[in-house]
C-alpha cells in the first residue's frame, strides 16, 4: 500500500495491519455496525455500496490525492471530537451521525470515480488458497487438517505459515469466520 490508500472492508471480513517496513505511518479506522443502517429507509440503501467487493481475494482500495486525504481526515477528526462530546453538548449525537453520513457520501462518490490501483498480493498463494477454500466450505465440516489436505500440504507446515502471515491459527480463523457468519445470519 501507499500513503493515501483508503481500504474499504465489507462486513465480517477479517483483516489486520502488517507494516512491511520500519517507517511510521498514520491510519484512521472507522468501524460501522450494520445496525446503523437498519430502518433508515431508501435514502441509505446505497451507503454501503463502497464496501462491496467483486473479488474477495483483492483489497477494495481507493487511492486518494492530498486534497482528498485532508478532506477525509478533517471529517474524521470532527467525528471523533463529536463522539467524545457525546451527550455533553447539545446535538452531539445528531452531529456525529451527520458527519458519518458526510464521510460515507464522500467515500461513495470517490468509489464511483475510482481507478483501482494495482498492487502485488503480499500474501503467499498458499494463504490465499487457504482463505478461498475456507470461505467456500465454511458451512461444511472443515478443519485445519482438511484445508491442508485439500492444498496438498502438511498440516503443521500450513498452520505455521498461516499463523506467520495472519497472526492466527487456521482453526481459530475458521472459528472466527463461523462466528461472523452466525452473527450475519
Amino acid at each position: 500500500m501507499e500513503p493515501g490508500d483508503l481500504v474499504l472492508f465489507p462486513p465480517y471480513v477479517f483483516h489486520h495491519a502488517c507494516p512491511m517496513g520500519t517507517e511510521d505511518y498514520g491510519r484512521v479506522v472507522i468501524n460501522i455496525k450494520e445496525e446503523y443502517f437498519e430502518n433508515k429507509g431508501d435514502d441509505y440503501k446505497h451507503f454501503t455500496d463502497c464496501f462491496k467487493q467483486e473479488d474477495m481475494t483483492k483489497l477494495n482500495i481507493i487511492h486518494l490525492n492530498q486534497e482528498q486525504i485532508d478532506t477525509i481526515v478533517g471529517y474524521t477528526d470532527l467525528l471523533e471530537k463529536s463522539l467524545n462530546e457525546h451527550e455533553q453538548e447539545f446535538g452531539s449525537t445528531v452531529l456525529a451521525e451527520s458527519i458519518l453520513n458526510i464521510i460515507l457520501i464522500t467515500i461513495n462518490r470517490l468509489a464511483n470515480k475510482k481507478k483501482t490501483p494495482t498492487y502485488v498480493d503480499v500474501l503467499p498463494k498458499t494463504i490465499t488458497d487457504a482463505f478461498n477454500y475456507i470461505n467456500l466450505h465454511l458451512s461444511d465440516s472443515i478443519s485445519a487438517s482438511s484445508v491442508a489436505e485439500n492444498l496438498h500440504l502438511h498440516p503443521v507446515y500450513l498452520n505455521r505459515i498461516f499463523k506467520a502471515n495472519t497472526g492466527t491459527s487456521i482453526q481459530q480463523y475458521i472459528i472466527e469466520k463461523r462466528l461472523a457468519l452466525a452473527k450475519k445470519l
Side-chain angles (χ1 to χ4, degrees):
M1 292 181 48
E2 297 177 8
D5 283 347
L6 173 65
V7 184
L8 304 166
F9 293 100
Y12 309 108
V13 170
F14 294 102
H15 58 278
H16 70 281
C18 184
M20 301 301 281
T22 58
E23 299 174 22
D24 287 338
Y25 72 98
R27 66 182 177 141
V28 176
V29 177
I30 301 175
N31 186 4
I32 307 167
K33 294 182 178 181
E34 282 186 307
E35 294 82 39
Y36 175 77
F37 298 101
E38 289 178 4
N39 304 317
K40 292 272 189 188
D42 285 344
D43 290 342
Y44 288 79
K45 186 166 61 173
H46 296 289
F47 269 45
T48 59
D49 286 355
C50 60
F51 297 100
K52 295 177 181 156
Q53 291 177 247
E54 292 174 23
D55 183 352
M56 294 302 282
T57 65
K58 305 273 188 255
L59 290 175
N60 190 8
I61 299 175
I62 303 170
H63 187 73
L64 306 177
N65 62 36
Q66 191 59 51
E67 180 183 347
Q68 294 166 331
I69 293 168
D70 294 341
T71 299
I72 297 287
V73 170
Y75 289 145
T76 59
D77 289 345
L78 283 171
L79 178 61
E80 183 178 30
K81 182 179 180 214
S82 178
L83 290 170
N84 288 335
E85 293 176 344
H86 188 67
E87 296 185 19
Q88 294 174 2
E89 295 284 332
F90 173 77
S92 302
T93 305
V94 174
L95 180 60
E97 188 171 323
S98 299
I99 296 167
L100 179 58
N101 289 340
I102 290 170
I103 292 169
L104 288 169
I105 290 168
T106 303
I107 291 171
N108 271 286
R109 287 180 176 177
L110 291 168
N112 287 336
K113 298 177 192 172
K114 83 173 180 176
K115 295 178 205 159
T116 306
T118 304
Y119 294 106
V120 176
D121 194 354
V122 295
L123 288 175
K125 182 176 179 341
T126 303
I127 304 302
T128 56
D129 289 347
F131 283 153
N132 290 335
Y133 181 81
I134 292 167
N135 287 337
L136 287 172
H137 298 89
L138 195 57
S139 58
D140 300 341
S141 178
I142 58 172
S143 64
S145 295
S146 66
V147 175
E149 183 180 325
N150 180 269
L151 299 178
H152 309 290
L153 296 169
H154 192 278
V156 174
Y157 170 75
L158 179 59
N159 203 44
R160 186 169 26 107
I161 65 168
F162 192 91
K163 189 164 189 165
N165 282 278
T166 65
T168 189
S169 70
I170 293 176
Q171 197 58 45
Q172 187 61 40
Y173 178 77
I174 292 169
I175 291 168
E176 290 175 10
K177 287 289 286 187
R178 285 182 172 160
L179 286 171
L181 179 62
K183 285 180 186 177
K184 186 176 181 179
L185 296 175

